[in-house]
């Protein structure tokens, strides 16, 4: 059952049992209250409603439902009726709420081949992950561009409706769902038959199948870019970072950030790809202040070399974190770059780096550097 159908039927049911006029739009408001939101607008900005097995019971919202009815100017009798009947109707019709942030996190984790696994340190809660599997199959995404029933059609329809209403997170979720497969996984030659058919050639048999499969790929790519750009236009920062990463769009770096916890090393890498070295410096500094010794090393060698106080601050901070950047760090590797394994044997090569060598600070500045490093260390802890 769609949410619209649920609202229609519930409104009819209420009208038949309540000796007062009951507005259909108030069913949406009561749905929001039942799932813990102050308004349907608040629910719609963070979540979507769709049919499915219920993870969240709304029974505990009885007091809130009663209060909301009174706020909507219904009598106590009507409020008592809603408290008794509304949660039961929701459970009978299997109406569920899905946080868009949880959905996006799961989609990004399952798209780890695009590098998303490095972005989110937080995992989806195990029970929530099982709940999500009724809409996103654990085998999604497919390795090949071909129609597969791995994403719930109810989820797609609900996301598309939310995106039509200007929900940036819904657009971004749809972009992830339509993400392209690896170029290496695309079947070679299919584009030839697709272009042949577009030019007017009549195809049959396997050649037509190849053309149709490539047409599916083209449509999927177009949906991906459309939803990604719309999500970015509406201010979704994850979409803006993806646009910078995959389409060289610098918008993310040109606007004020909303404070999302992005992976600063990854953002610095994207900024470097776009030749935005001031942004590289800024994001490496964020990474260093969060305890990334790799960022500290780069700052000392490439960006802060003219500021001894800052360089020693990074050195002292790295030492507090258990890595001494002034010490050589060499190790054995195999020819392919992996760490050397004696059990495997074979030719041994040396990789690593020489320790940092810079001028010492004067006593006063050395105290400042150590103090600042200690402050940063305590903030990290």
């Amino acid at each position: 059952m769609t949410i619209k159908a649920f609202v229609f039927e519930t409104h009819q049911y209420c009208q038949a049992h309540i000796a007062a006029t009951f507005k259909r739009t108030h069913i949406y408001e009561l749905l929001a209250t039942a799932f813990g939101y102050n308004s349907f607008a608040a629910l719609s900005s963070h979540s979507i409603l769709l049919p499915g097995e219920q993870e969240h019971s709304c029974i505990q919202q009885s007091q809130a439902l009663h209060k909301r009815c009174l706020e909507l100017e219904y009598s106590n009798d009507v409020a008592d009726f809603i408290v008794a009947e509304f949660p039961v109707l929701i459970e009978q019709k299997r109406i569920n709420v899905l946080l868009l942030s949880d959905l996006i996190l799961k989609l990004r984790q399952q798209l780890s081949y695009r590098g998303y696994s490095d972005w989110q340190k937080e995992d989806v809660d195990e029970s929530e992950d099982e709940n999500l599997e009724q809409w996103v199959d654990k085998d999604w995404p497919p390795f090949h561009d071909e129609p597969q029933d791995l994403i719930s059609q109810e989820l797609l329809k609900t996301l598309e409706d939310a995106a039509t209403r200007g929900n940036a997170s819904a657009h971004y979720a749809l972009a992830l769902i339509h993400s392209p497969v690896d170029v290496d996984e695309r079947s070679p030659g299919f584009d030839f038959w697709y272009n042949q058919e577009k030019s007017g050639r009549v195809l049959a048999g396997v050649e037509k199948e190849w053309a149709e499969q490539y047409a599916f790929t083209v449509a999927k790519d177009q949906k991906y870019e459309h939803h990604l750009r719309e999500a970015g236009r509406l201010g979704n920062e994850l979409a803006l970072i993806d646009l910078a990463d995959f389409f060289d769009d610098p918008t993310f770096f040109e606007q004020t950030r909303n404070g999302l916890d992005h992976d600063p090393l990854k953002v610095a890498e994207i900024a470097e790809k776009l030749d935005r070295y001031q942004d590289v410096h800024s994001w490496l500094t964020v990474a260093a202040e969060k305890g990334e010794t790799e960022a500290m090393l780069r700052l000392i060698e490439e960006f802060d070399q003219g500021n001894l106080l800052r360089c020693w601050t990074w050195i002292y901070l790295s030492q507090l974190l258990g890595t001494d950047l002034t010490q050589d760090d060499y190790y054995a590797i195999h020819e392919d770059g992996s760490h050397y394994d004696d059990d495997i044997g074979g030719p041994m090569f040396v990789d690593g780096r020489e320790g940092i060598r810079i001028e010492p600070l004067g006593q006063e500045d050395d105290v400042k550097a150590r103090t600042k490093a200690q402050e940063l260390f305590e903030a990290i802890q």
Side-chain angles (χ1 to χ4, degrees):
M1 167 176 282
T2 66
I3 301 305
K4 188 178 290 187
F6 170 81
V7 169
F8 178 80
E9 288 189 11
T10 303
H11 178 250
Q12 295 287 91
Y13 180 81
C14 290
Q15 285 289 78
H17 292 82
I18 295 173
T21 302
F22 200 93
K23 292 184 179 179
R24 187 179 302 177
T25 54
H26 288 169
I27 301 296
Y28 288 101
E29 294 302 319
L30 293 173
L31 269 171
T33 302
F35 288 108
Y37 290 89
N38 292 328
S39 67
F40 188 71
L43 182 151
S44 299
S45 67
H46 296 98
S47 306
I48 52 176
L49 292 169
L50 69 168
E53 296 301 324
Q54 268 204 352
E55 176 69 18
H56 306 288
S57 173
C58 58
I59 299 298
Q60 69 270 21
Q61 300 296 337
S62 296
Q63 186 175 352
L65 281 169
H66 195 281
K67 179 183 176 184
R68 187 65 173 134
C69 284
L70 297 182
E71 290 173 350
L72 295 172
E73 299 183 350
Y74 292 108
S75 67
N76 270 306
D77 289 343
V78 171
D80 290 341
F81 174 83
I82 291 297
V83 167
E85 299 291 332
F86 201 67
V88 176
L89 292 170
I90 291 174
E91 292 183 357
Q92 284 179 347
K93 302 301 182 181
R94 299 172 61 248
I95 303 302
N96 207 334
V97 65
L98 174 59
L99 267 173
L100 288 168
S101 57
D102 285 345
L103 173 63
I104 287 169
L105 178 56
K106 180 174 179 63
L107 292 172
R108 286 168 67 89
Q109 287 178 340
Q110 292 190 212
L111 283 167
S112 58
Y113 69 89
R114 296 205 88 191
Y116 289 132
S117 58
D118 296 331
W119 283 79
Q120 302 281 356
K121 306 300 182 187
E122 177 187 359
D123 290 328
V124 179
D125 178 82
E126 185 175 342
S127 62
E128 188 61 41
D129 192 47
E130 292 175 1
N131 185 44
L132 283 162
E133 284 183 5
Q134 62 184 302
W135 299 298
V136 181
D137 193 280
K138 64 181 183 300
D139 292 328
W140 180 89
F143 288 110
H144 299 283
D145 258 343
E146 53 190 34
Q148 294 193 30
D149 213 11
L150 300 177
I151 298 287
S152 153
Q153 291 302 306
E154 289 93 346
L155 174 61
L156 279 174
K157 178 66 169 62
T158 304
L159 286 172
E160 286 163 359
D161 288 345
T164 301
R165 295 193 298 272
N167 188 305
S169 295
H171 273 296
Y172 185 57
L174 285 166
L176 293 174
I177 288 170
H178 294 299
S179 284
V181 298
D182 270 344
V183 173
D184 294 341
E185 299 295 338
R186 296 199 173 193
S187 303
F190 284 16
D191 58 331
F192 171 80
W193 298 108
Y194 169 77
N195 289 322
Q196 287 288 301
E197 188 169 53
K198 280 194 71 177
S199 66
R201 181 174 173 180
V202 178
L203 302 179
V206 69
E207 294 168 354
K208 184 166 182 62
E209 289 179 16
W210 289 341
E212 288 175 349
Q213 186 169 333
Y214 193 78
F216 173 81
T217 297
V218 170
K220 187 166 174 282
D221 289 351
Q222 289 172 343
K223 289 177 182 178
Y224 164 69
E225 185 172 350
H226 164 73
H227 288 296
L228 190 63
R229 291 196 181 280
E230 281 299 292
R233 183 182 66 81
L234 292 166
N236 184 286
E237 289 195 3
L238 293 174
L240 289 171
I241 292 175
D242 287 358
L243 285 167
D245 196 9
F246 303 124
F247 293 93
D248 295 336
D249 183 333
T251 305
F252 172 78
F253 297 102
E254 295 171 348
Q255 65 177 33
T256 303
R257 297 187 296 275
N258 293 325
L260 290 181
D261 189 19
H262 304 302
D263 178 353
L265 283 177
K266 179 66 176 179
V267 179
E269 178 187 321
I270 296 170
E272 190 165 17
K273 187 170 66 171
L274 298 179
D275 297 329
R276 299 182 65 93
Y277 293 104
Q278 187 173 343
D279 288 311
V280 176
H281 187 190
S282 173
W283 281 96
L284 285 176
T285 301
V286 172
E289 290 175 347
K290 290 188 174 185
E292 296 285 355
T293 53
E294 175 188 341
M296 298 176 204
L297 183 62
R298 284 202 64 189
L299 286 168
I300 294 168
E301 293 182 336
E302 301 175 38
F303 294 94
D304 292 341
Q305 64 269 49
N307 187 330
L308 274 179
L309 181 60
R310 283 177 67 84
C311 289
W312 277 104
T313 299
W314 300 133
I315 289 172
Y316 291 141
L317 178 58
S318 73
Q319 291 171 348
L320 289 169
L321 292 166
T323 300
D324 190 345
L325 295 178
T326 65
Q327 298 297 310
D328 295 344
D329 182 21
Y330 292 108
Y331 48 89
I333 61 171
H334 289 287
E335 190 174 4
D336 64 0
S338 60
H339 282 273
Y340 194 81
D341 186 337
D342 289 328
D343 293 335
I344 297 175
M348 181 185 294
F349 302 86
V350 176
D351 198 5
R353 61 167 182 81
E354 184 180 355
I356 295 293
R357 306 285 186 267
I358 58 175
E359 296 177 22
L361 290 171
Q363 185 175 0
E364 184 178 343
D365 282 343
D366 189 70
V367 170
K368 289 179 181 177
R370 290 179 185 275
T371 301
K372 181 62 177 177
Q374 184 65 37
E375 290 173 358
L376 292 170
F377 177 72
E378 291 173 1
I380 292 168
Q381 300 304 304

